[in-house]
Amino acid sequence: MCGITACVGEDDVVDTVLTGLKNLEYRGYDSAGIATLNGHGVRVHKREGGIDPLSSEVDHVEFAGQLGLGHTRWSTHGAPTDENAHPHTDCTGTVAVVHNGIIENYAELRSELAAAGHLFTSETDTEVVPHLIEDELAAGYDPEAAFRRAIARIEGSYAIAVLVDGTDAIFATRQGSPLVLGVDGKRRFLASDVPSFLEYTSRVVYLDDGDFVRLTPGEHVITDITGSPQNRPIETVEWGSEDAERDGYDHYMLKEIHEQPEALRRAINGRITDDNRVDLEEFPPGSFDDVDEVHFISCGTSHHASMYACQLLRDRGIPAHAFTAGEYATTPAPVTDGTLVVAVTQSGETADTLTSMRDVKARNARTLAVTNVVGSTAAREADDALFIRAGPEIGVAATKTFSSQVIVLALLVERLTEDITGEPSAEREGLLSALRVLPDQVERVLRESTAASLASQYADADGRFFIGRGVAFPVACEGALKFKEITYEHAEGFAAGELKHGPLALVTPQTPVLAVFSGRHDTKTLNNVEEVRSRGAPVIGIAAETANHVESTVDVFLPIPETHPELSGVLANVQLQLVSYYVADLLDRSIDKPRNLAKSVTVE
């Protein structure tokens, strides 16, 4: 949800900032801009569109500086235009600001500033910030004090970085939006996400909400709003820049689909013992003895992973509920001393999920973050954290993170079951044995899938329905989400039995139905298949290769290897990912950067 990058060095940083922007383009691509400071004033260049047009334009003008800010925008306030692109400046052109988040009191501040004579050139909430700093500078405050005083007047969520003419520093702060710092010799980096500067350094500092940072060549100083020093350690990121490259694939999404076997191996590694027990180092046996119910809070793909885990817990007799975080934040469910709230978030920065998590923490519920990012806000603020180890994911449409979330949550379910009930689940032996070979089975699906052949056959359909029961239901929802995200075509996921309670009215010979079979309740799902086939709809079935009763019934069969029924959804999901990808590719969609979407949603 917008990307910020910045660099301070002893040499020209323009190319470095542009590279950082390119690496963050998955966070927003409506418009982009750059500002530099080199002792001769603040210079800004920005435009509607992606990073490549901006880079081409900058190459043809004299543009240099030892301090630089960059921004790639996903629009919230104001359309994607040249005027609304960041950085934004004050009336005098001495202050340049980039911002991610939402300033909730911007209308009040804008009216006040306009009445005082400030001229605004954009529709954005961000533009109030440079004008607030301008006022504080005019009142005689030095640039750092002016920045702090301006921030003190802002309400909302934000990550903000600022250049002020006459200084050799970049000032920045965060509140509810991610901002990380990179350290490389005399250079200092700021970014919304580590991939921005990963090709230059793997040494990072994760900033907390309320942190203020002053960057100069060779130094960074972190304080709170009062100026008191804050100690934030330098950590080393375990993955390298090559992990965030396309590596010969046409799209990041296709690369990340094919990275799932290795991601799953990392998720499982060291977490299953030789005698088939769950070994979560962070949570030894007895860690959840005091839990009697589980709430999952999450958004989008993470919500579907939560639904999957919720089904597993319910099958084991443990009360569990999966809530969308946006609704949970506004209409929270009751919690007790025995409620465990599991926040599932790929980035660890999802605004709705963080808001919900903070609400239940205020009500003294125990919280656990399941995330991919070690230094993320969710990981730091939750009582405990469990990491999915998926590695960087650049494509906006989540793929390998969903699979990794499901597997790690399945392991967590087994730990919860044993702690809460006092004994292992009846599924543990078979489930963990199946988990050991699951990465190899995903590799086989990727190698043998015929999903590409479906693209031309069904690309011009009026819509698509995805159906399933049990763990196949959240997979159907996830399959529909992937399809609509990257193809821009209508798709909906349903519990299989719900089709006849309304959606069946939309089924025609031009609406293919993709039916996911888990190996449980397949007869009932086949009955639903017959209902849609009697209306002329073609059916694509995804089931175990031994499911002859399914293969003989559906129009097109996409087989998956035989596995434990509770893991069948992971394999079926890979087939659905490939279907979505190949249809989107045939339709020439922007697969890695779907319209109107961004990777990490850091505003509510």
Side-chain angles (χ1 to χ4, degrees):
M1 192 70 77
C2 297
I4 289 173
T5 189
C7 183
V8 174
E10 295 181 321
D11 301 314
D12 181 40
V13 300
V14 170
D15 286 344
T16 304
V17 172
L18 289 171
T19 298
L21 280 181
K22 187 66 180 174
N23 293 339
L24 286 182
E25 196 168 15
Y26 61 91
R27 293 185 65 93
Y29 31 86
D30 291 343
S31 59
I34 184 172
T36 60
L37 185 61
N38 60 7
H40 301 286
V42 173
R43 295 198 61 190
V44 173
H45 198 85
K46 59 183 184 176
R47 57 155 294 153
E48 177 187 354
I51 310 303
D52 288 339
L54 175 72
S55 297
S56 297
E57 291 183 7
V58 169
D59 285 343
H60 291 89
V61 296
E62 187 178 342
F63 209 74
Q66 289 75 49
L67 296 86
L69 301 175
H71 188 272
T72 179
R73 183 171 184 249
W74 186 87
S75 305
T76 53
H77 288 73
T81 63
D82 290 355
E83 294 77 16
N84 289 333
H86 298 214
H88 289 286
T89 57
D90 66 323
C91 296
T92 66
T94 61
V95 180
V97 172
V98 293
H99 163 233
N100 182 17
I102 291 180
I103 298 173
E104 295 175 354
N105 61 334
Y106 87 98
E108 171 191 335
L109 292 171
R110 182 173 176 133
S111 295
E112 177 187 323
L113 289 162
H118 289 269
L119 298 178
F120 288 81
T121 60
S122 79
E123 303 169 275
T124 69
D125 55 336
T126 303
E127 199 181 355
V128 301
V129 180
H131 292 288
L132 288 172
I133 296 172
E134 178 189 0
D135 268 2
E136 301 297 342
L137 291 170
Y141 291 96
D142 64 65
E144 183 169 357
F147 174 60
R148 291 176 181 277
R149 290 176 63 85
I151 296 302
R153 300 197 59 193
I154 292 171
E155 298 172 5
S157 68
Y158 50 79
I160 295 175
V162 175
L163 287 178
V164 181
D165 191 19
T167 68
D168 63 349
I170 291 176
F171 306 105
T173 188
R174 64 158 288 179
Q175 182 66 47
S177 286
L179 199 61
V180 296
L181 189 156
V183 178
D184 177 36
K186 292 290 187 181
R187 288 192 297 187
R188 293 295 185 272
F189 300 88
L190 279 174
S192 300
D193 206 351
V194 172
S196 172
F197 53 72
L198 191 56
E199 63 193 82
Y200 304 110
T201 182
S202 60
R203 302 177 70 216
V204 304
V205 177
Y206 295 101
L207 301 175
D208 285 348
D209 279 350
D211 282 352
F212 283 76
V213 59
R214 184 179 191 272
L215 301 183
T216 54
E219 186 179 28
H220 62 273
V221 177
I222 303 172
T223 60
D224 63 16
I225 194 167
T226 68
S228 298
Q230 302 296 301
N231 182 28
R232 305 285 179 246
I234 297 176
E235 303 180 33
T236 300
V237 176
E238 294 182 357
W239 34 274
S241 60
E242 66 277 3
D243 295 316
E245 296 173 355
R246 282 217 310 263
D247 197 26
Y249 287 90
D250 289 339
H251 299 91
Y252 281 112
M253 181 179 179
L254 185 60
K255 174 180 181 263
E256 288 155 5
I257 289 173
H258 281 266
E259 287 177 339
Q260 287 178 109
E262 189 56 38
L264 293 179
R265 290 186 183 102
R266 287 196 300 269
I268 297 166
N269 185 41
R271 289 171 166 171
I272 302 176
T273 65
D274 291 340
D275 59 347
N276 257 14
R277 293 179 177 272
V278 172
D279 182 12
L280 297 179
E281 181 178 348
E282 306 91 334
F283 305 104
S287 294
F288 301 105
D289 283 351
D290 57 348
V291 172
D292 52 38
E293 70 167 347
V294 181
H295 291 184
F296 294 94
I297 51 175
S298 46
C299 300
T301 288
S302 295
H303 181 58
H304 298 149
S306 297
M307 291 168 60
Y308 202 120
C310 187
Q311 182 66 52
L312 298 183
L313 281 172
R314 288 173 176 171
D315 287 345
R316 288 153 174 77
I318 297 171
H321 312 273
F323 300 92
T324 56
E327 290 301 304
Y328 197 87
T330 53
T331 55
V335 296
T336 68
D337 290 343
T339 303
L340 173 68
V341 179
V342 181
V344 185
T345 161
Q346 177 269 327
S347 66
E349 304 292 349
T350 308
D352 288 332
T353 305
L354 291 174
T355 298
S356 294
M357 189 177 76
R358 289 162 181 160
D359 174 80
V360 295
K361 279 182 66 67
R363 292 188 281 144
N364 297 318
R366 181 179 175 184
T367 56
L368 167 62
V370 176
T371 183
N372 193 38
V373 183
V374 172
S376 63
T377 302
R380 295 197 308 272
E381 292 191 7
D383 295 317
D384 298 291
L386 182 60
F387 299 102
I388 68 171
R389 305 173 179 171
E393 188 175 69
I394 304 301
V396 167
T399 51
K400 65 177 180 176
T401 54
F402 174 79
S403 300
S404 297
Q405 283 173 337
V406 168
I407 294 313
V408 171
L409 286 169
L411 293 171
L412 177 63
V413 163
E414 288 302 313
R415 165 58 61 237
L416 284 165
T417 301
E418 189 166 353
D419 285 355
I420 294 171
T421 68
E423 57 186 13
S425 79
E427 305 290 348
R428 188 187 72 180
E429 189 74 21
L431 179 71
L432 297 187
S433 295
L435 266 177
R436 294 178 185 277
V437 299
L438 186 68
D440 293 336
Q441 291 182 321
V442 172
E443 281 186 343
R444 186 175 156 209
V445 172
L446 292 168
R447 184 172 61 250
E448 299 177 358
S449 176
T450 59
S453 65
L454 300 179
S456 58
Q457 189 174 355
Y458 296 108
D460 59 351
D462 293 340
R464 292 100 182 146
F465 290 158
F466 295 68
I467 62 171
R469 290 177 181 269
V471 296
F473 169 45
V475 170
C477 293
E478 174 62 12
L481 176 63
K482 282 296 150 287
F483 198 92
K484 69 182 74 173
E485 280 181 322
I486 64 171
T487 69
Y488 312 157
E489 299 284 311
H490 179 72
E492 294 295 334
F494 297 100
E498 285 300 300
L499 273 180
K500 58 184 174 289
H501 295 289
L504 198 59
L506 299 176
V507 171
T508 73
Q510 284 72 49
T511 52
V513 175
L514 292 92
V516 182
F517 295 84
S518 70
R520 290 177 177 168
H521 317 297
D522 285 358
T523 299
K524 289 188 176 183
T525 303
L526 279 172
N527 290 337
N528 303 127
V529 164
E530 293 292 355
E531 290 168 357
V532 298
R533 293 192 74 210
S534 68
R535 273 76 179 176
V539 177
I540 302 163
I542 302 96
E545 56 198 352
T546 56
N548 298 325
H549 56 304
V550 175
E551 183 176 9
S552 63
T553 303
V554 300
D555 299 282
V556 178
F557 185 56
L558 290 177
I560 59 174
E562 188 77 32
T563 188
H564 190 283
E566 293 184 335
L567 297 180
S568 60
V570 177
L571 297 170
N573 184 62
V574 176
Q575 291 280 27
L576 296 180
Q577 290 171 349
L578 292 169
V579 169
S580 297
Y581 173 81
Y582 286 116
V583 172
D585 194 40
L586 182 69
L587 296 173
D588 197 28
R589 304 304 193 209
S590 179
I591 291 175
D592 287 333
K593 298 177 286 186
R595 70 186 181 199
N596 303 332
L597 301 178
K599 183 65 178 172
S600 179
V601 184
T602 57
V603 294
E604 293 183 72

